[in-house]
Amino acid sequence: MLEGNRVSRISVRGFAVASATAVTTVGAVVGVASGSTPGASNDNDFEATASDATLLADIPAGQQAQVQTASLTQQADAQAMAADTAAKKSAAEAARKQAAESAIAKQKAAEKAEAAEKAEKAAAKKEREEAAETKASRSSARDASDFAPQSSYSVSQVQAMARQMVPGDQFQCFSNIVNHESTWNYKASNPSSGAYGLVQALPGSKMASAGADWQTNPATQIKWGLGYMNDRYGSPCGAWDFWQANNWY
């Protein structure tokens, strides 16, 4: 022991051990606290003793408070610096993650908008093609005047005429109506109502607008019936839909 100073051998296990830097710093603090002037021999001896110490018990009891304060202050500063670094790292990571999520969301939104635009363009293109196909089909259909008049016609001949005059995508609907109205008999007549012909025009004389031979020429009747269905229902299939719901058209 140093003369005049009782050294405590209290165990410091469980308490933080000062680092070499902390001990050096503490040595300076102790020197100032003791009132010694810089350069004094006892000051040098004490600093040497402090710098060699690794346990609180090896430092004079009178200076232990200063040692503890310096050590805790240094540790607090180190912890604060580490916490600040961790906080900055965490904030940077959060910002990076948010930026990545935002970029992914924008990309998905752009892809969705692009897909919707493509679907819209495809639908518009399909609609134009179908309209053009229908127009071409109707324009290529034969007119009643293309068929030479005959004295009589079989059911197969009348149906062959209809196939050439009615657009292909509308023929089945047209045929369904004719089957129900006259079973393809171009001379079919309803005495009670006055309906006449393949499509049972009421009265039959209406078909004169398509040709004066409406009573004997199935082509004239087909022409009139097709025009009636298009004008009133938009198409033979539109007329057939109405017929199924009402049993008349």
Side-chain angles (χ1 to χ4, degrees):
M1 285 191 284
L2 297 175
E3 186 177 351
N5 292 288
R6 183 177 297 277
V7 177
S8 171
R9 291 291 179 177
I10 300 172
S11 172
V12 291
R13 296 189 183 279
F15 189 82
V17 178
S19 66
T21 303
V23 171
T24 301
T25 303
V26 170
V29 172
V30 171
V32 174
S34 65
S36 301
T37 58
S41 61
N42 62 337
D43 187 35
N44 292 333
D45 292 340
F46 183 76
E47 288 183 5
T49 301
S51 64
D52 291 336
T54 57
L55 296 175
L56 186 62
D58 295 328
I59 298 174
Q63 307 303 324
Q64 289 181 6
Q66 288 88 339
V67 172
Q68 293 176 1
T69 300
S71 178
L72 292 174
T73 298
Q74 186 178 33
Q75 290 181 46
D77 290 343
Q79 290 174 356
M81 185 179 296
D84 183 61
T85 300
K88 289 180 179 179
K89 183 178 180 181
S90 177
E93 179 64 19
R96 185 198 65 76
K97 184 177 180 181
Q98 184 176 3
E101 291 176 350
S102 178
I104 292 174
K106 288 181 179 180
Q107 183 179 0
K108 288 183 177 180
E111 291 175 351
K112 185 177 181 180
E114 183 180 1
E117 183 179 0
K118 286 182 179 180
E120 185 177 351
K121 288 182 178 180
K125 181 180 179 181
K126 183 178 180 181
E127 185 176 351
R128 289 194 300 271
E129 291 175 348
E130 290 178 347
E133 184 178 351
T134 300
K135 183 177 180 181
S137 178
R138 290 183 177 180
S139 63
S140 63
R142 298 183 66 180
D143 187 74
S145 60
D146 294 334
F147 300 96
Q150 297 178 194
S151 57
S152 63
Y153 301 85
S154 66
V155 170
S156 60
Q157 287 177 318
V158 175
Q159 290 176 336
M161 286 182 181
R163 286 186 180 278
Q164 295 178 69
M165 295 177 67
V166 179
D169 61 337
Q170 299 294 315
F171 176 77
Q172 189 58 56
C173 295
F174 184 90
S175 177
N176 291 341
I177 292 176
V178 173
N179 275 330
H180 283 283
E181 295 292 330
S182 65
T183 62
W184 289 96
N185 179 6
Y186 67 97
K187 292 183 178 180
S189 177
N190 187 328
S192 61
S193 67
Y196 185 85
L198 293 171
V199 295
Q200 289 292 282
L202 181 64
S205 58
K206 283 184 176 181
M207 293 186 289
S209 61
D213 58 351
W214 59 271
Q215 291 178 299
T216 58
N217 191 342
T220 299
Q221 295 181 12
I222 293 168
K223 178 181 179 178
W224 183 88
L226 180 59
Y228 171 79
M229 295 176 194
N230 286 334
D231 291 342
R232 184 160 184 173
Y233 302 101
S235 67
C237 285
W240 173 236
D241 288 341
F242 184 89
W243 196 101
Q244 291 179 93
N246 301 277
N247 290 323
W248 62 274
Y249 74 111

